[in-house]
Amino acid sequence: MVYRLGPAYPGSQGIDSLAELLALLPCLQAVVLVGKKAQKVEKHIRAVAPQLNIFTSPHPSPMFVNRKPENRSLLLNDWQHVQKSLAQRR
């Protein structure tokens, strides 16, 4: 299941909503922060939900993917790492 929030950067109203959302998801095991904007809230997530595994990934925009040939592989490697980590926890 994928949840998307509005902007949740430090100092925004979305940051409070993020804590509320995480509290409603007691079985949540991991969060993938996709892109630099999402990654700005990593410290906040670690503070309000230290039990979560947090992964990061570049944003899969065409600008990123097409900028360098190796960027596609970077994305795939990040997501494969997430998949393997979650599979080990089952």
Side-chain angles (χ1 to χ4, degrees), residues 2 25 32 57 66 70-71:
V2 175
L25 302 168
V32 182
S57 171
N66 296 324
E70 62 270 15
N71 283 352

Side-chain angles (χ1 to χ4, degrees), residues 5-76:
L5 294 173
Y9 49 86
S12 74
Q13 288 180 322
I15 204 81
D16 295 329
S17 299
L18 178 60
E20 291 172 20
L21 174 63
L22 294 174
L24 293 172
L25 302 168
C27 295
L28 186 67
Q29 297 177 9
V31 172
V32 182
L33 302 173
V34 180
K36 292 183 191 246
K37 287 182 183 179
Q39 292 165 14
K40 289 180 181 180
V41 298
E42 183 174 355
K43 286 182 185 177
H44 179 73
I45 293 173
R46 289 191 188 283
V48 298
Q51 77 283 4
L52 290 178
N53 295 299
I54 300 176
F55 301 92
T56 60
S57 171
H59 193 281
S61 70
M63 286 180 64
F64 175 77
V65 173
N66 296 324
R67 187 175 299 140
K68 295 180 188 174
E70 62 270 15
N71 283 352
R72 182 176 170 4
S73 293
L74 287 173
L75 281 169
L76 292 174

Side-chain angles (χ1 to χ4, degrees), residues 75-88:
L75 281 169
L76 292 174
N77 288 339
D78 285 347
W79 286 92
Q80 287 171 346
H81 174 69
V82 171
Q83 179 186 26
K84 288 177 186 174
S85 293
L86 292 177
Q88 290 175 351

